[in-house]
Amino acid sequence: MEQVVGEREAEEFTVVARKPYFGLPTACPICLPLFIYLKLAHFPFRLSFNSIFPDSDQIPYVESGTYVAYNNENSGVVECLKKDGIVDLDSEFQSAPDWVSIQAMINSWLADALTYELWVGTDGRSAYKIYYSDLSWPIGKVLFLKQVYSVKQRLGITKDNAEHREDEIYRRAKIAYGALSTKLGEQNFLFDDRPSSLDATFLGHVLVTLHVLPDTSVLRSKLLEHDNIVRYAEKLKTELIESGSSSSGPQFRSVPSSSTPRKGPSNWSSKPKSKPKREKTEEEKTFKRRAKYFLAAQLLAVLLFLSVMGGYDSGDLELDDEDEGISFN
């Protein structure tokens, strides 16, 4: 398999993602495709975890020395790695006639469907575990509900059109699964039997749908109608995730509690940022200071959320205080 790999391959790269759950190296539906992309490219990296900023849109990010590429800049980390010549699996595929349509189905219809299932269409336990299980109960609960409200707004869901929007989301997902199943056939990958970034994104979606969503999930049941997609996902899961360690495989470690998403541009060829080294005792002092700021910021977000939600109908969302899950009426 051919791919473009830049000169920085010799440097140590670290992928900072959300924590592993459900038998996946990271259960975050945004982080997992980045992990898979680098594995498909046989690109060596370390995998670290950051759980103290659960709602940060900078995660996942990649860092190497004084360089960093954030998820919320330049169309995401994978696009940044491609544009900066670090690793590119798509150089020969983007002129393919169906590239744009397949990309749109995966990044729009299927992404919306998975977002809906995680936050609205199921009981929310999986999403809560991925994003908020390390936070204290009141902050985690309120931030979860805040995110549910945000997802409904982004997907255009109201009390009046909730049933119609749900039907539309599932209808589009069914069409996308059918089209991708036909495109895939019995190949190992979507294009010419060689991996691309669309394989990484689609495989990440499929694995989260199969392993993170509950058995009662409507989206999961629609995916299971396509045996070839399930075989494709489980085969690559075995090869990329469950196989023994190799020189190109990632090394796993948790980010120290003092680690935070770093500020700065995501241009790999920009001037290096200063990266002062601290002794461990200084890091502990810094973390304590950051933790206070973080809690204060989250409490402020809670207060702002409650003020915005003052007129919101509390019948739509119901907290179950005796269980970690969230139930929706």
Side-chain angles (χ1 to χ4, degrees):
M1 127 191 7
E2 297 179 4
Q3 70 259 350
V4 177
V5 179
E7 296 178 355
R8 294 186 180 277
E9 184 183 8
E11 300 180 11
E12 182 179 87
F13 282 76
T14 298
V15 173
V16 180
R18 294 185 174 91
K19 292 174 66 176
Y21 288 112
F22 308 102
L24 299 174
T26 170
C28 168
I30 301 175
C31 304
L32 186 57
L34 173 59
F35 174 95
I36 293 171
Y37 180 79
L38 295 177
K39 289 285 285 182
L40 286 171
H42 300 287
F43 192 82
F45 64 96
R46 295 175 64 89
L47 182 62
S48 298
F49 307 110
N50 186 312
S51 58
I52 60 174
F53 289 91
D55 54 354
S56 173
D57 59 358
Q58 292 182 331
I59 298 174
Y61 59 93
V62 170
E63 57 185 0
S64 176
T66 56
Y67 297 90
V68 62
Y70 290 117
N71 174 66
N72 63 344
E73 297 179 354
N74 297 328
S75 302
V77 179
V78 170
E79 287 302 313
C80 185
L81 295 177
K82 288 160 58 177
K83 290 176 182 177
D84 291 317
I86 308 300
V87 56
D88 186 357
L89 292 177
D90 301 339
S91 58
E92 298 180 11
F93 293 134
Q94 291 180 316
S95 60
D98 50 356
W99 176 272
V100 173
S101 60
I102 291 177
Q103 184 180 51
M105 282 191 293
I106 296 173
N107 292 337
S108 179
W109 289 4
L110 292 186
D112 285 351
L114 183 55
T115 298
Y116 177 81
E117 282 279 281
L118 277 173
W119 297 100
V120 182
T122 60
D123 61 11
R125 296 174 191 235
S126 296
Y128 187 92
K129 186 172 186 178
I130 294 168
Y131 293 93
Y132 303 117
S133 58
D134 288 327
L135 297 181
S136 61
W137 177 84
I139 292 179
K141 288 282 188 175
V142 175
L143 289 178
F144 177 89
L145 292 177
K146 176 174 173 283
Q147 183 63 21
V148 170
Y149 180 69
S150 175
V151 166
K152 285 186 174 183
Q153 283 191 313
R154 184 170 70 79
L155 295 178
I157 299 172
T158 65
K159 288 194 296 184
D160 295 332
N161 72 356
E163 185 175 350
H164 171 73
R165 284 293 291 133
E166 180 181 89
D167 291 342
E168 184 178 37
I169 288 169
Y170 288 139
R171 178 181 61 82
R172 289 178 173 178
K174 182 179 180 66
I175 293 172
Y177 285 148
L180 289 165
S181 176
T182 300
K183 171 65 177 175
L184 179 64
E186 296 304 321
Q187 298 180 134
N188 292 324
F189 302 103
L190 290 170
F191 290 90
D192 297 332
D193 230 14
R194 291 170 50 197
S196 68
S197 65
L198 294 188
D199 285 290
T201 306
F202 184 44
L203 180 57
H205 168 90
V206 173
L207 291 178
V208 171
T209 301
L210 291 176
H211 296 280
V212 175
L213 295 181
D215 293 342
T216 55
S217 162
V218 176
L219 185 65
R220 187 174 186 272
S221 67
K222 292 184 181 299
L223 174 59
L224 288 172
E225 294 174 4
H226 302 279
D227 293 339
N228 65 326
I229 294 180
V230 176
R231 290 194 300 271
Y232 154 86
E234 293 302 329
K235 176 178 180 292
L236 289 176
K237 178 174 181 282
T238 299
E239 294 176 358
L240 302 177
I241 298 174
E242 297 174 355
S243 61
S245 61
S246 65
S247 59
S248 61
Q251 303 175 37
F252 299 87
R253 65 181 175 89
S254 293
V255 166
S257 55
S258 60
S259 175
T260 62
R262 301 187 302 176
K263 301 292 183 182
S266 62
N267 187 347
W268 290 89
S269 29
S270 62
K271 292 182 179 181
K273 305 186 301 298
S274 60
K275 186 182 180 184
K277 296 182 179 180
R278 301 186 181 93
E279 297 296 330
K280 184 176 181 181
T281 54
E282 182 64 24
E283 289 182 350
E284 293 172 349
K285 293 178 182 178
T286 303
F287 168 64
K288 290 180 181 179
R289 188 162 57 251
R290 286 172 175 165
K292 292 179 182 179
Y293 295 151
F294 173 70
L295 291 175
Q298 295 299 340
L299 288 174
L300 178 59
V302 168
L303 293 176
L304 290 174
F305 172 69
L306 292 176
S307 66
V308 171
M309 294 288 289
Y312 194 72
D313 185 359
S314 60
D316 286 348
L317 298 173
E318 180 182 289
L319 279 170
D320 182 1
D321 292 341
E322 296 180 358
D323 191 272
E324 187 179 69
I326 306 292
S327 60
F328 299 84
N329 291 331

